[in-house]
Amino acid sequence: MGKRGGFVLNGGLLRIRESLHNIKRSEQNAAHYILANPDEVIRLSIKELAERSESSQAAIIRMCKSIGVDGFQELKIRIAGDLQSSTAQDEYKEILPDADMYTLIESVSLNNILSLRETIKILDTEAVEKAIGELFRATRIDFYGVGASQLVAQDAQHKFLRINKMCTAHSDSHLQLTSAVTLTAGDVAVGISNSGETSQIITTMKQARKSGAVTIGITKYGTNSLAECVDLHLTTFSTEADERSAATSSRIAQLNVIDILFRGVAAKNYDVSAAYLRQTRKAVREQYK
């Protein structure tokens, strides 16, 4: 039950939790009831849920649309998948200042694993497929990021250059904007921002779209300014709870999405990509052995 493409269809509870601050007040009762009673909800009809949550069937339908599922039936299937695959490790591990070394290692590692596992649940496979196609056809690719997201942009540049995709990952915001101005139809711009609210990236991506490039945004799940101004939105999940996390798990999740895109593009012309990878690896080894 609840499988698609070999994967358990899940992520219903995560989508609701991450969307609570965005969905309308009329949808909040149903959302909170589902989160508090997931085992019960998967056995209810939409009418029964409306009655028990003091909501309405229309509000539940709107909530399903708001969180990106086709309807209440799909939401129940996803919640069932969540309950089937949930473990005691599916929680954020707070890192305390007096933690012993084992606890420190375990907490950081499990938080990163959780971010990757939860990202799989909410990453739209159709959007990923379209993004891979656009990147494969692109004449030029610009990757934009600020702070920790800039490190992800540089990683993307390094990977895509190795398969002979012309790309940039300027760290200076003025150069990012200047580069976006020179993009044309046939080019792709990728903006990376966990919050989706980084002003420099939003400005640059709007310019890239104005220039005719296809725009791809990589942000955390939910509604945000970057997601609203791009052609394709790829979502990640981050366990970071506050400023102490220093963009650790969000960076891991972003790097994972870049790896998915890179491997997808490389696979579309595997023999040529493999040849370029061998050539670049050989050149570096011979120069710096």
Side-chain angles (χ1 to χ4, degrees):
M1 176 184 179
K3 289 192 175 182
R4 179 181 292 173
F7 293 97
V8 174
L9 196 61
N10 51 24
L13 297 176
L14 174 61
R15 287 169 182 262
I16 294 173
R17 283 198 303 269
E18 294 298 300
S19 299
L20 276 177
H21 64 290
N22 291 322
I23 61 177
K24 296 179 181 179
R25 184 171 297 180
S26 60
E27 304 162 17
Q28 292 277 344
N29 283 355
H32 285 294
Y33 191 89
I34 291 170
L35 292 176
N37 307 279
D39 295 277
E40 174 190 343
V41 167
I42 61 175
R43 297 188 295 271
L44 299 179
S45 67
I46 189 171
K47 180 181 178 181
E48 290 170 330
L49 174 60
E51 292 173 350
R52 299 190 187 192
S53 64
E54 298 182 351
S55 181
S56 69
Q57 296 183 48
I60 295 170
I61 292 171
R62 288 196 302 270
M63 181 198 66
C64 291
K65 184 177 180 180
S66 298
I67 64 174
V69 299
D70 291 337
F72 183 55
Q73 186 60 32
E74 180 185 333
L75 178 59
K76 289 202 295 182
I77 292 173
R78 287 185 177 275
I79 293 173
D82 291 333
L83 297 174
Q84 177 183 338
S85 60
S86 64
T87 69
Q89 295 180 350
D90 289 344
E91 297 178 357
Y92 175 77
K93 306 295 181 182
E94 186 62 64
I95 301 173
L96 302 175
D98 57 347
D100 59 64
M101 190 53 60
Y102 176 81
T103 300
L104 174 64
I105 293 171
E106 182 184 50
S107 297
V108 173
S109 301
L110 290 179
N111 286 346
N112 288 337
I113 291 170
L114 177 59
S115 289
L116 295 178
R117 185 186 298 124
E118 299 296 83
T119 293
I120 292 172
K121 296 179 182 179
I122 58 175
L123 193 56
D124 187 331
T125 55
E126 291 183 7
V128 171
E129 185 175 11
K130 290 178 181 177
I132 288 171
E134 295 293 350
L135 290 166
F136 176 73
R137 292 186 291 270
T139 304
R140 178 178 129 204
I141 307 168
D142 275 11
F143 294 100
Y144 308 125
V146 173
S149 293
Q150 169 57 22
L151 299 177
V152 178
Q154 290 178 7
D155 179 76
Q157 180 191 35
H158 176 257
K159 284 184 168 67
F160 280 84
L161 275 176
R162 290 196 60 198
I163 58 172
N164 199 29
K165 295 298 295 185
M166 296 299 100
C167 55
T168 69
H170 298 297
S171 58
D172 183 89
S173 59
H174 290 186
L175 281 176
Q176 290 176 352
L177 185 57
T178 300
S179 187
V181 171
T182 65
L183 293 173
T184 62
D187 298 331
V188 174
V190 182
I192 307 166
S193 168
N194 182 52
S195 67
E197 301 297 342
T198 309
S199 59
Q200 301 98 310
I201 302 304
I202 294 167
T203 299
T204 301
M205 291 298 286
K206 286 181 176 178
Q207 177 58 59
R209 195 173 191 183
K210 183 179 179 181
S211 297
V214 172
T215 53
I216 301 171
I218 301 176
T219 81
K220 68 179 181 180
Y221 181 79
T223 302
N224 55 70
S225 299
L226 182 55
E228 293 176 350
C229 73
V230 295
D231 299 305
L232 294 170
H233 181 210
L234 306 182
T235 56
T236 62
F237 174 82
S238 169
T239 58
E240 289 152 20
D242 54 36
E243 68 279 358
R244 289 171 291 178
S245 59
T248 53
S249 59
S250 65
R251 175 172 45 83
I252 296 297
Q254 291 169 352
L255 286 168
N256 190 57
V257 171
I258 291 297
D259 283 350
I260 291 169
L261 296 176
F262 167 71
R263 286 176 176 262
V265 171
K268 280 188 168 293
N269 198 354
Y270 179 78
D271 291 339
V272 173
S273 296
Y276 279 124
L277 288 169
R278 286 193 297 269
Q279 292 169 21
T280 53
R281 184 182 298 112
K282 180 181 178 182
V284 171
R285 284 180 176 175
E286 289 180 349
Q287 182 64 35
Y288 300 106
K289 60 183 177 181

